[in-house]
Amino acid sequence: MNVIFISPGFPPQFFQFCTALRAQGVNVLGLGDTPPHELDPALHAALGEYYFAPNLSSYDDAHRAVAYLSWKHGRIDRIDSHNEHWLGLEARLREDFNIPGPRPAQMDVWRTKSGMARLYQEAGIPRPDGVRFESSAQVRAFAKAQGFPLIFKPDVGVGAARTFKVNDERALAKVLEEPLHGYLVQPFITGDIVSYDGFVDRDGRIVFDTSHAYSSGIMEVVLGGLDVSYWSRREIPKQLADFGRRAVEKFGIRERFFHAEFFELEDGTHKALEINVRPPGGFTTDMMNYTADVNVYELWAKAIAGQDVSGFTFERRWHVAHISRRNGVTYKRSREEALAYLGSRLLWHRWMPPVLAGAMGDEVFMIRHPELARVKEDIAWVQER
């Protein structure tokens, strides 16, 4: 079996998908823009071949790479990256080389917020109202009906990139002077951001699921330079689990991870925000492992290799938290004091790659404890300025 894994060296923990595939007897073929000498030695050992494409964003270069790997190794059975940036590339390559998995038409629906909204509506899952920009008059009418603040976000976007909030008529008038084609406009929702995350086998069964709660929305974190923290929840609220499962079924997700985001309102109810057909970002795949002492890299690899994973069992025994700090900020406690204070609750401490630091923080402490109150206490202690 031949599997092409796009960008196996980034994010840094994703090499574990390749080592897990190799352990299942799969011939793993890497395709990436990371120079070969910068790859982790364990990744080098797992790859049957690595094709270095410095300009991976060029479709011609990527197509040429897959053609070469197919010529040399035979039929390509799967192609994946688990990386939001490359989802469109994956889909196009699948279609051109007749490789199983999501094709461009399906990926376009999954990746556009307007496409997500339609599927959420069909699944009967509440979501914020919204309009796709067509004219200034249309947006002004929407603002009059909904009131302020409003959120403007690209219909296709990653995280909070190019997303902004408009608080009043004066700000709206200024915004409408700019080109807004491809933007979605929604009312600002006051609520906590939570997620429903997991993995679906080839028959559409959710074989692993969990939930995370976030200290702030990604837009507020990025624009405000806030310290971010988020943690896994041992129990998933009943309505969140129901909405999440209905979304996974409606979106037709197969043999993939999912990351569905929701607003959790003050009354405990939920509204859909968006869904990503890939693992949650940062080091959350590691957090998923630590919360239940499992190996989601191996789970995915077994499913890809054709094994039946429907009998996979797990128990969410821990709350696992990502606690970040930022460069240039003076904290009440030093790094050394924080490491000593966390003690056996600390799983690891490391630095985020610069490209992820805006949303995830520069420095990360990952901890776990069975009691959420203790986890929140640790977050406050480490981040106190």
Side-chain angles (χ1 to χ4, degrees):
M1 183 178 192
N2 296 313
V3 174
I4 292 178
F5 199 93
I6 298 176
S7 187
F10 184 85
Q13 80 276 25
F14 273 23
F15 79 92
Q16 295 177 83
F17 286 114
C18 297
T19 57
L21 274 178
R22 179 69 175 178
Q24 298 302 317
V26 173
N27 185 30
V28 189
L29 307 170
L31 170 58
D33 54 8
T34 302
H37 67 274
E38 295 182 9
L39 297 179
D40 187 284
L43 175 57
H44 263 302
L47 296 178
E49 182 164 355
Y50 180 67
Y51 190 107
F52 175 47
N55 187 18
L56 191 55
S57 296
S58 164
Y59 186 73
D60 287 344
D61 288 2
H63 188 280
R64 189 177 303 113
V66 175
Y68 165 78
L69 293 171
S70 178
W71 167 79
K72 185 173 179 180
H73 295 273
R75 176 175 173 77
I76 304 302
D77 298 284
R78 294 288 189 279
I79 186 166
D80 214 329
S81 73
H82 300 312
N83 191 319
E84 186 74 31
H85 185 74
W86 303 118
L87 293 183
L89 174 64
E90 291 173 24
R92 194 172 169 189
L93 289 169
R94 289 190 195 102
E95 185 161 84
D96 283 355
F97 289 91
N98 195 27
I99 298 170
R103 304 295 174 87
Q106 185 174 29
M107 195 65 76
D108 286 347
V109 174
W110 284 353
R111 297 188 71 205
T112 58
K113 294 175 178 63
S114 54
M116 296 176 199
R118 176 174 60 80
L119 291 179
Y120 275 129
Q121 183 175 13
E122 292 175 3
I125 299 171
R127 59 180 178 80
D129 292 330
V131 294
R132 198 172 191 276
F133 179 84
E134 294 178 0
S135 68
S136 296
Q138 169 217 31
V139 173
R140 287 194 176 95
F142 183 76
K144 184 176 182 180
Q146 295 289 331
F148 292 97
L150 296 174
I151 296 295
F152 286 68
K153 57 180 68 172
D155 199 15
V156 180
V158 180
R162 298 183 293 129
T163 296
F164 54 90
K165 182 165 68 170
V166 172
N167 292 311
D168 52 38
E169 288 281 359
R170 178 179 295 181
L172 179 62
K174 186 173 181 61
V175 164
L176 292 176
E177 295 174 359
E178 304 296 327
L180 293 171
H181 296 291
Y183 265 80
L184 196 69
V185 186
Q186 294 178 319
F188 180 80
I189 302 295
T190 300
D192 296 327
I193 304 297
V194 299
S195 66
Y196 179 66
D197 307 304
F199 178 71
V200 180
D201 70 10
R202 65 179 54 191
D203 296 317
R205 290 183 293 254
I206 297 175
V207 294
F208 176 79
D209 64 352
T210 189
S211 174
H212 296 89
Y214 295 76
S215 58
S216 303
I218 189 170
M219 182 183 72
E220 289 82 2
V221 168
V222 172
L223 298 181
L226 305 178
D227 289 328
V228 65
S229 62
Y230 64 102
W231 53 92
S232 58
R233 307 201 285 186
R234 294 183 63 186
E235 299 294 332
I236 304 176
K238 184 177 179 181
Q239 187 185 70
L240 176 64
D242 174 52
F243 286 170
R245 290 168 186 151
R246 284 158 60 183
V248 167
E249 180 179 1
K250 186 65 184 179
F251 279 70
I253 301 172
R254 297 289 185 273
E255 214 174 61
R256 297 186 70 85
F257 287 90
F258 59 86
H259 171 60
E261 296 178 349
F262 292 82
F263 295 105
E264 192 164 271
L265 307 182
E266 189 174 352
D267 62 2
T269 60
H270 298 84
K271 283 190 174 184
L273 176 55
E274 62 181 66
I275 192 168
N276 304 113
V277 288
R278 47 134 176 108
F283 292 102
T284 315
T285 43
D286 290 342
M287 293 173 65
M288 294 161 80
N289 285 342
Y290 288 125
T291 193
D293 294 313
V294 296
N295 188 331
V296 297
Y297 305 105
E298 181 182 71
L299 175 65
W300 172 79
K302 286 182 174 180
I304 292 296
Q307 294 192 37
D308 181 2
V309 296
S310 61
F312 181 80
T313 60
F314 63 95
E315 178 186 359
R316 292 182 291 270
R317 299 176 54 236
W318 306 89
H319 295 284
V320 181
H322 165 119
I323 310 173
S324 80
R325 304 212 296 196
R326 293 197 178 275
N327 295 335
V329 173
T330 302
Y331 293 92
K332 186 172 182 179
R333 285 97 182 184
S334 69
R335 179 179 306 115
E336 291 71 23
E337 288 175 309
L339 294 173
Y341 165 79
L342 294 171
S344 62
R345 301 185 301 283
L346 180 71
L347 294 166
W348 51 249
H349 163 267
R350 65 181 67 171
W351 299 91
M352 290 296 292
V355 70
L356 301 178
M360 308 298 291
D362 295 291
E363 180 181 20
V364 176
F365 303 81
M366 186 173 288
I367 67 168
R368 74 175 181 180
H369 194 275
E371 296 176 6
L372 183 57
R374 183 57 199 256
V375 167
K376 289 185 174 182
E377 180 182 320
D378 287 346
I379 292 170
W381 195 95
V382 170
Q383 292 185 334
E384 187 174 359
R385 299 189 175 193

